[in-house]
């Protein structure tokens, strides 16, 4: 494994300190040596990205697609080596990482198809009306074009799907933007392997070298320099509220404003309406015990708040939940920092007024380090409403059950919630008809609303919205998952009275690419 | 004319100081008394807007459209009274304002049609795949929904089309967002008339009252409070770089980030390639004398920089330009502040190294106040490259001709330009083939590129892009003119496994609205 920084698709020697990857399950160092990047590498990466942008943005769409498919192929070729390394660095089970590998290559291929199909540029054509009174109308044709180099921060909790060649990188490259990745310090080796796959793919498909760089750092110097660099045109981040806000605040120091897309997590409230609990208390309890503890609870869509109304059936639900949680084995968390924080916060929450422990895992693995023990706490709606601290995310297998006296108190408790990535409603058919204002309130607070399901599991598809009102993300108008994620990195460019031969194919008369276009207010994909 | 502040469609009495409108041509006060708003009115306006949002966002699309059409009708009904008042307050000629009135009502009707047609919500449906391995795919359906109350700052230079019921208000109301307008102090009376038209239209079509408020201020208190108010979800502004950046910086103090759309002007460079000048020196000179001085040069698309290569034909061009400019009569500028600033800056520019006056208007009207005298200066490309001050906008009938020795020097001069709303290329057909890298460089710097035309005149249509790389605007991914301006105020909301009956019509099986939707990756508008 080559642990050197990658600048413009080349491995670069630096004299900076070397970094080692840690296995969180054992606390031991893993093989491979990585090197702390510096500001000069940041500058080189962005300068070469800007240069590459000049040709990459005009590259034929099928060549862009073949580059994305080649990355998917190279990552798939790494196969077990990659999955084993990612598991050793993250503590996540092999099966989960095998699935994440499929998702990662699937995302790349999805964007390859999107680019190759071509309609995503949202071409709009209003042809000239030379005889219009009082003034003629010019010919105006508009399409989306890429904005320039994108800085991607790898996320800890998806070492493949939200990291070096994850959704952010795939969508940025698809849009026509070069990418500079800051590797997450929790998985240097995984990052190096995927970085190697990208430069192989770039070479095989003849991409300009500056299209990709990958930098390592165990601190904040490189990330800070990347966000502040004048050639950076956008930043993507998935992580904590604190981390996201730090990047947003940093970007505000820039002379030239740029979009920062920060997905800062969420408590993903789940509202259990009374009949849903009455009809299937045990089934729901088991379903949620699994969802809360999936991947050691380290999902941005982990259900961190459960809302219900007091009833005998609810006690049945809670006792099944208690029994199910007791049987959930502890799991290795992603990093020592995350494990320490989880243990601390999930212990301290009990000191808050009215909060009591309702369920804990009985199965702790004492042979491994950084183990998370699942925990569910309980509080009354009255105490919940009073205490903003109870609305904060505790990253890990934890959830807080908020119990209201009646529906109106439940609505009040929901009223204090902030913006969320997801909201889930568990209800029977009749109840859905009974509470229209409750449902309206919920849709106003979230990017995705789920009926009778679980929020964990984010489908990568065109209809997915992974981004909600603040503080879930800082700009709810965009998604970081699914094909419309590409819109983050593109801006419209209008050509007025432009020469046919010089227009991009997307805007030429006759629609040579047969993409969907809006021509004089009619949407059509025919050759005209 | 009722000059009281409008909060939630009601005229409100305040004890604050009264404000008067000034006729810039005479310096005299116009009739009508207006009242400075305060923070409590700001709070009331946003609280009632938030309340109105709860019902307005779910309102049937045809009712929203009828509201927009009713505003257009009411404004059209004001007719001469409105145009006369706007002319008295702005110094702009009646014919221009008659045209702007048509544009304003046209914009409202365009958004009414867009909303009524319905496809703008970009519905995307991925239906369930219950048998998919290893996991079933849920049913996910996504559409755009409005973000909430929008604060609109009226602009000085379009008292109708970029003001109380201008493009920002029309697109925000169309998206489903209530609007709070801060009236521009240069046209209180025009604002009051249009505000009255909006509340009449709201009443006639039964809109919730909080949907519209209009506040007056001759300082910064009200604007500051509007941007900082926690219930504000977006801000729009058209004006100077300084003004735009002040609002952006203010918004950065907010706890909750919101989008600010600031259109901060541009110098709109025009590049004359040698053959274009050779072929039609005189015609182009006349065309540009008119474009530079149109509306006293008070357009955000005013051509403030002309680039050309030294040649005998260029001297022919400049002498015609000189003669044409000499015959352009002075014109009343929008406000005393703008006139003073223009006189000062267009005089001072001559002190910059290498800058000389090339053309001035000989026709000054000494009977009227705040008169602008057209001026064109000239500088070498070498001096231009050295001096960043020469790239700054001078708002008014002014342009700077930058003369290069050859094409390569011309390209260098263009290289130092910042982001622009428009770039115009004047070239003959052969020249377009000869300079592909020049054209690529230009497209990277602008939101709209025009061939052999003038940048003034911004067509309101679907393909228009009025927004370019910083500092022209702070977010080049959006436009403030044309139907896609609506996208500024909407976010995607995804419904997962949602009940058919409870889905919005836009997302229901069978496509009851017959809008265009992307269903399982196929775009279709048929009833299914």
């Amino acid at each position: 494994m080559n642990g050197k920084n990658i600048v413009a698709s080349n491995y670069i020697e630096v004299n900076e300190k070397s970094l080692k990857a840690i296995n969180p399950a054992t606390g031991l160092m893993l093989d491979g040596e990585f090197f702390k990047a510096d500001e000069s590498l940041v500058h080189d990466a962005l300068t070469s990205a800007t240069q590459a942008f000049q040709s990459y943005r005009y590259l034929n769409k099928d060549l862009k697609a073949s580059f994305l498919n080649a990355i998917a192929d190279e990552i798939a070729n790494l196969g077990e080596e990659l999955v084993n390394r990612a598991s050793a660095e993250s503590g996540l089970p092999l099966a989960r990482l095998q699935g994440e590998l499929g998702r990662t290559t699937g995302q790349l291929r999805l964007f390859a198809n999107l680019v190759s199909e071509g309609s995503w540029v949202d071409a709009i054509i209003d042809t000239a009306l030379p005889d219009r009174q009082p003034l003629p109308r010019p010919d105006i044709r508009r399409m989306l074009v890429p904005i320039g180099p994108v800085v991607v921060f790898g996320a800890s909790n998806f070492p493949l799907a939200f990291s070096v060649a994850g959704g952010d990188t795939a969508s940025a490259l698809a849009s026509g933007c070069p990418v500079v990745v800051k590797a997450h310090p929790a998985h240097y080796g995984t990052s190096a392997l995927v970085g190697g796959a990208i430069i192989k793919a770039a070479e095989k498909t003849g991409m300009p070298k500056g299209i990709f760089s990958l930098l390592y750092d165990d601190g904040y110097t490189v990330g800070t320099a990347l966000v502040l660099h004048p050639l950076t045109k956008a930043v993507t981040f998935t992580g904590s509220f604190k981390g996201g806000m730090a990047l947003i605040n940093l970007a505000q120091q820039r002379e030239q404003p740029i979009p920062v897309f920060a997905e800062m997590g969420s408590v993903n409230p789940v509202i259990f309406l009374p009949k849903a609990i009455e009809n299937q208390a045990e089934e729901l309890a088991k379903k949620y015990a699994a969802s809360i503890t999936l991947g050691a609870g380290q999902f941005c869509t982990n259900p961190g708040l459960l809302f219900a109304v007091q009833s005998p059936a609810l006690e049945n639900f809670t006792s099944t939940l208690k029994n199910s949680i007791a049987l959930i084995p502890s799991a290795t968390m992603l990093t020592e920092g995350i494990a320490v924080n989880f243990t601390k916060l999930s212990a301290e929450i009990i000191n808050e007024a009215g909060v009591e422990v309702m369920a804990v895992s009985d199965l702790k693995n004492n042979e491994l380090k950084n183990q998370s023990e699942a925990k569910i706490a309980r509080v009354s709606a009255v105490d919940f409403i009073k205490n903003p601290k109870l609305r904060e995310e505790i990253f890990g297998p934890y959830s807080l059950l908020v119990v209201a006296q009646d529906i109106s108190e439940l609505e009040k408790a929901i009223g204090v919630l902030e913006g969320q990535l997801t909201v889930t409603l568990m209800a029977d058919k009749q109840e859905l008809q009974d509470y229209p204002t409750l449902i309206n309130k919920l849709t106003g607070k979230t990017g995705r609303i789920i009926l009778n399901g679980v929020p964990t599991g984010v489908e990568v598809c065109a209809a997915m919205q992974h981004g909600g009102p603040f503080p879930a993300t800082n700009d709810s108008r965009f998604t970081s998952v699914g094909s419309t994620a590409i819109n983050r990195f593109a801006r419209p460019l209008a050509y007025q009275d432009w020469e046919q031969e010089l227009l991009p194919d997307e805007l030429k008369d006759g629609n040579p690419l047969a993409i969907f276009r809006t021509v004089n207010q009619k949407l059509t994909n025919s050759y005209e």
Side-chain angles (χ1 to χ4, degrees), chain A residues 34-51:
Chain A
F34 310 89
F35 300 89
K36 198 174 164 74
D38 58 18
E39 292 194 28
S40 110
L41 291 193
V42 167
H43 182 70
D44 293 349
L46 281 156
T47 308
S48 57
T50 303
Q51 205 178 343

Short mmCIF file of all heavy atoms in Angstrom, two decimals, chain A residues 34-51:
data_model
loop_
_atom_site.label_atom_id
_atom_site.label_comp_id
_atom_site.label_asym_id
_atom_site.label_seq_id
_atom_site.Cartn_x
_atom_site.Cartn_y
_atom_site.Cartn_z
N PHE A 34 1.71 6.56 6.33
CA PHE A 34 1.05 7.67 5.61
C PHE A 34 1.74 8.96 6.02
O PHE A 34 2.41 9.01 7.05
CB PHE A 34 -0.44 7.67 5.93
CG PHE A 34 -1.04 6.30 5.74
CD1 PHE A 34 -1.07 5.37 6.78
CD2 PHE A 34 -1.49 5.91 4.49
CE1 PHE A 34 -1.56 4.09 6.59
CE2 PHE A 34 -1.99 4.63 4.29
CZ PHE A 34 -2.03 3.72 5.34
N PHE A 35 1.58 9.99 5.22
CA PHE A 35 2.37 11.20 5.47
C PHE A 35 1.50 12.44 5.55
O PHE A 35 0.66 12.66 4.67
CB PHE A 35 3.45 11.34 4.38
CG PHE A 35 4.37 10.17 4.35
CD1 PHE A 35 4.08 9.05 3.57
CD2 PHE A 35 5.50 10.14 5.17
CE1 PHE A 35 4.92 7.94 3.58
CE2 PHE A 35 6.34 9.04 5.18
CZ PHE A 35 6.05 7.92 4.39
N LYS A 36 1.74 13.19 6.59
CA LYS A 36 0.98 14.42 6.81
C LYS A 36 1.26 15.39 5.66
O LYS A 36 2.42 15.69 5.37
CB LYS A 36 1.47 15.02 8.13
CG LYS A 36 0.57 16.05 8.75
CD LYS A 36 1.14 16.41 10.14
CE LYS A 36 0.55 17.69 10.67
NZ LYS A 36 -0.83 17.53 11.13
N ALA A 37 0.22 15.87 5.02
CA ALA A 37 0.40 16.85 3.94
C ALA A 37 0.64 18.24 4.52
O ALA A 37 0.56 18.43 5.74
CB ALA A 37 -0.83 16.86 3.03
N ASP A 38 0.92 19.20 3.66
CA ASP A 38 1.13 20.57 4.15
C ASP A 38 0.49 21.56 3.19
O ASP A 38 -0.10 21.17 2.18
CB ASP A 38 2.63 20.85 4.33
CG ASP A 38 3.40 20.64 3.02
OD1 ASP A 38 2.76 20.62 1.93
OD2 ASP A 38 4.62 20.48 3.08
N GLU A 39 0.63 22.83 3.52
CA GLU A 39 -0.05 23.85 2.71
C GLU A 39 0.46 23.90 1.28
O GLU A 39 -0.28 24.28 0.37
CB GLU A 39 0.08 25.22 3.38
CG GLU A 39 -0.72 25.25 4.67
CD GLU A 39 -0.94 26.66 5.22
OE1 GLU A 39 -0.96 27.61 4.42
OE2 GLU A 39 -1.09 26.78 6.45
N SER A 40 1.70 23.53 1.09
CA SER A 40 2.22 23.61 -0.28
C SER A 40 1.58 22.51 -1.14
O SER A 40 1.28 22.72 -2.31
CB SER A 40 3.75 23.57 -0.26
OG SER A 40 4.23 22.37 -0.79
N LEU A 41 1.32 21.35 -0.55
CA LEU A 41 0.60 20.30 -1.30
C LEU A 41 -0.83 20.73 -1.59
O LEU A 41 -1.39 20.44 -2.65
CB LEU A 41 0.61 18.98 -0.54
CG LEU A 41 1.95 18.24 -0.41
CD1 LEU A 41 1.71 16.81 0.07
CD2 LEU A 41 2.71 18.22 -1.72
N VAL A 42 -1.45 21.40 -0.63
CA VAL A 42 -2.80 21.92 -0.84
C VAL A 42 -2.81 22.86 -2.05
O VAL A 42 -3.66 22.75 -2.94
CB VAL A 42 -3.31 22.67 0.42
CG1 VAL A 42 -4.56 23.48 0.12
CG2 VAL A 42 -3.57 21.67 1.56
N HIS A 43 -1.84 23.74 -2.07
CA HIS A 43 -1.76 24.69 -3.17
C HIS A 43 -1.53 23.98 -4.51
O HIS A 43 -2.19 24.28 -5.51
CB HIS A 43 -0.65 25.71 -2.91
CG HIS A 43 -0.54 26.75 -3.97
ND1 HIS A 43 -1.50 27.73 -4.14
CD2 HIS A 43 0.37 26.93 -4.97
CE1 HIS A 43 -1.17 28.48 -5.18
NE2 HIS A 43 -0.04 28.02 -5.70
N ASP A 44 -0.61 23.02 -4.50
CA ASP A 44 -0.35 22.28 -5.74
C ASP A 44 -1.59 21.52 -6.20
O ASP A 44 -1.89 21.46 -7.40
CB ASP A 44 0.80 21.28 -5.52
CG ASP A 44 2.13 21.98 -5.29
OD1 ASP A 44 2.19 23.22 -5.50
OD2 ASP A 44 3.10 21.32 -4.87
N ALA A 45 -2.28 20.91 -5.25
CA ALA A 45 -3.47 20.13 -5.60
C ALA A 45 -4.52 21.03 -6.25
O ALA A 45 -5.11 20.68 -7.28
CB ALA A 45 -4.04 19.46 -4.36
N LEU A 46 -4.75 22.22 -5.67
CA LEU A 46 -5.80 23.09 -6.21
C LEU A 46 -5.37 23.78 -7.49
O LEU A 46 -6.20 24.02 -8.38
CB LEU A 46 -6.27 24.07 -5.15
CG LEU A 46 -7.23 23.32 -4.20
CD1 LEU A 46 -7.30 23.98 -2.85
CD2 LEU A 46 -8.60 23.19 -4.83
N THR A 47 -4.09 24.06 -7.61
CA THR A 47 -3.61 24.67 -8.85
C THR A 47 -3.75 23.67 -10.00
O THR A 47 -4.24 24.01 -11.09
CB THR A 47 -2.13 25.09 -8.70
OG1 THR A 47 -2.02 25.89 -7.53
CG2 THR A 47 -1.64 25.87 -9.89
N SER A 48 -3.35 22.43 -9.75
CA SER A 48 -3.46 21.44 -10.83
C SER A 48 -4.92 21.07 -11.09
O SER A 48 -5.30 20.78 -12.23
CB SER A 48 -2.62 20.20 -10.53
OG SER A 48 -3.00 19.64 -9.29
N ALA A 49 -5.74 21.11 -10.06
CA ALA A 49 -7.18 20.86 -10.27
C ALA A 49 -7.78 21.93 -11.17
O ALA A 49 -8.58 21.65 -12.07
CB ALA A 49 -7.90 20.81 -8.93
N THR A 50 -7.38 23.17 -10.92
CA THR A 50 -7.90 24.29 -11.72
C THR A 50 -7.47 24.16 -13.18
O THR A 50 -8.25 24.42 -14.10
CB THR A 50 -7.42 25.62 -11.11
OG1 THR A 50 -7.85 25.67 -9.76
CG2 THR A 50 -7.96 26.81 -11.87
N GLN A 51 -6.23 23.73 -13.35
CA GLN A 51 -5.72 23.52 -14.70
C GLN A 51 -6.47 22.37 -15.39
O GLN A 51 -6.91 22.50 -16.53
CB GLN A 51 -4.24 23.20 -14.60
CG GLN A 51 -3.48 23.55 -15.86
CD GLN A 51 -2.00 23.27 -15.68
OE1 GLN A 51 -1.52 23.12 -14.54
NE2 GLN A 51 -1.27 23.18 -16.78
#
